[in-house]
Amino acid sequence: MNIVEVKFDDKKETSFYINERFNLKRNLTVVVESDRGLMFGTVISIFDNIEEFDLDSLYCVVRISTKRDYLNHLSNKKDSVKAIGKCKDLIKKYDLKMNIIDASYNFDRSQLLFRFVADERVDFRELAKDLGSIFKTRIELRQIGIRDKAKEIGGIGPCGRKLCCSSFLTSFDSISINMAKNQNLLLNPSKINGVCGRLLCCLKYENDNYKDMKNKESMNIFKDVDLED
């Protein structure tokens, strides 16, 4: 038995799965269990040291994918793209203030997930009913944050490099304006905000060093003060 890390399509997130009986290798496609039902993905890493993982929280690899599995997966992707267009038409019909980011069927088509961004809470109950009657499956509409949207779409940051969130960051940390102040940066939104409109994630990278430097400078100032009466 070992643990495999599986990636789904072009998504940045990966998940770990228990492999109990298959001879798996990197880049091999598999069908796995998940909280969404069956999913189709690609093995990107294999771990033999299972003691490092919480096995009770992990799902299992169901099988190595077959040619038919792969063709079904391609069909699901194609139909997901069509579903986006239909969902957008319904959003316009109901005049909902939301933007669809993507849509995806799980492998056995028991669920169709739409992800969207919106500035406020959206009442999408009628939309969900219509989508369910059209696609004859369980519909989930999931609101994601603007930083998640930037992570999915990608782009180039003000540093000239690929966005951190779409290249190596796996989660979003809390970023505060004090991090920019610690670095004596000009508090201009065009300088300290990323393409998502939120504070740059990289403000946190060296924040601890800047805080230590400021503390040391403060200590040196007190040392230099003449305490004579």
Side-chain angles (χ1 to χ4, degrees):
M1 184 172 72
N2 55 27
I3 303 297
V4 294
E5 185 178 11
V6 176
K7 183 177 182 180
F8 304 101
D9 290 336
D10 56 352
K11 299 293 189 297
K12 306 299 185 300
E13 294 83 2
T14 62
S15 295
F16 297 97
Y17 293 89
I18 299 171
N19 172 41
E20 294 184 308
R21 61 185 187 277
F22 303 109
N23 182 22
L24 300 181
K25 299 178 181 179
R26 289 184 61 190
N27 299 321
L28 195 65
T29 53
V30 292
V31 176
V32 300
E33 296 174 331
S34 78
D35 55 358
R36 290 188 60 197
L38 297 180
M39 298 291 289
F40 182 96
T42 302
V43 175
I44 62 172
S45 300
I46 300 174
F47 304 89
D48 293 321
N49 189 8
I50 64 174
E51 289 78 12
E52 297 179 2
F53 296 87
D54 179 10
L55 300 183
D56 292 334
S57 66
L58 301 183
Y59 289 96
C60 295
V61 175
V62 176
R63 64 177 178 270
I64 298 174
S65 68
T66 63
K67 182 178 180 180
R68 174 171 293 194
D69 288 335
Y70 180 68
L71 292 177
N72 287 342
H73 170 63
L74 293 182
S75 178
N76 288 344
K77 289 182 65 176
K78 184 178 180 180
D79 290 344
S80 295
V81 174
K82 294 179 181 178
I84 293 175
K86 187 60 182 178
C87 187
K88 287 182 177 180
D89 290 341
L90 291 172
I91 288 173
K92 193 174 296 185
K93 171 186 174 181
Y94 289 113
D95 193 27
L96 299 175
K97 306 302 181 184
M98 57 191 290
N99 293 312
I100 295 295
I101 300 301
D102 59 24
S104 60
Y105 278 103
N106 61 352
F107 181 72
D108 57 9
R109 297 174 73 96
S110 61
Q111 183 205 57
L112 177 55
L113 169 67
F114 294 91
R115 298 193 306 165
F116 69 94
V117 293
D119 293 332
E120 300 177 351
R121 190 178 181 86
V122 179
D123 183 356
F124 49 69
R125 286 174 293 182
E126 293 301 318
L127 172 64
K129 289 180 183 178
D130 283 359
L131 291 171
S133 64
I134 292 171
F135 296 108
K136 309 300 182 184
T137 190
R138 182 164 58 92
I139 300 296
E140 181 178 347
L141 288 151
R142 182 182 301 170
Q143 185 170 354
I144 64 173
I146 192 66
R147 297 168 83 187
D148 296 287
K149 179 182 178 181
K151 180 181 180 70
E152 292 295 329
I153 296 176
I156 304 298
C159 59
R161 297 175 62 88
K162 187 177 179 180
L163 296 181
C164 297
C165 59
S166 63
S167 55
F168 65 88
L169 288 182
T170 57
S171 62
F172 293 112
D173 292 322
S174 177
I175 311 296
S176 71
I177 194 68
N178 285 332
M179 294 179 182
K181 292 179 179 179
N182 288 338
Q183 300 176 44
N184 294 323
L185 295 176
L186 182 65
L187 302 183
N188 184 329
S190 66
K191 301 295 183 182
I192 61 175
N193 287 355
V195 297
C196 61
R198 302 291 190 266
L199 290 170
L200 290 163
C201 292
C202 57
L203 291 175
K204 184 169 183 177
Y205 296 168
E206 298 181 358
N207 184 59
D208 290 340
N209 291 334
Y210 281 99
K211 287 172 64 176
D212 289 341
M213 290 174 60
K214 290 185 70 173
N215 290 335
K216 290 178 181 178
E217 289 175 358
S218 298
M219 293 297 295
N220 290 334
I221 290 174
F222 284 117
K223 287 181 180 179
D224 293 337
V225 172
D226 188 356
L227 299 179
E228 293 183 1
D229 294 330

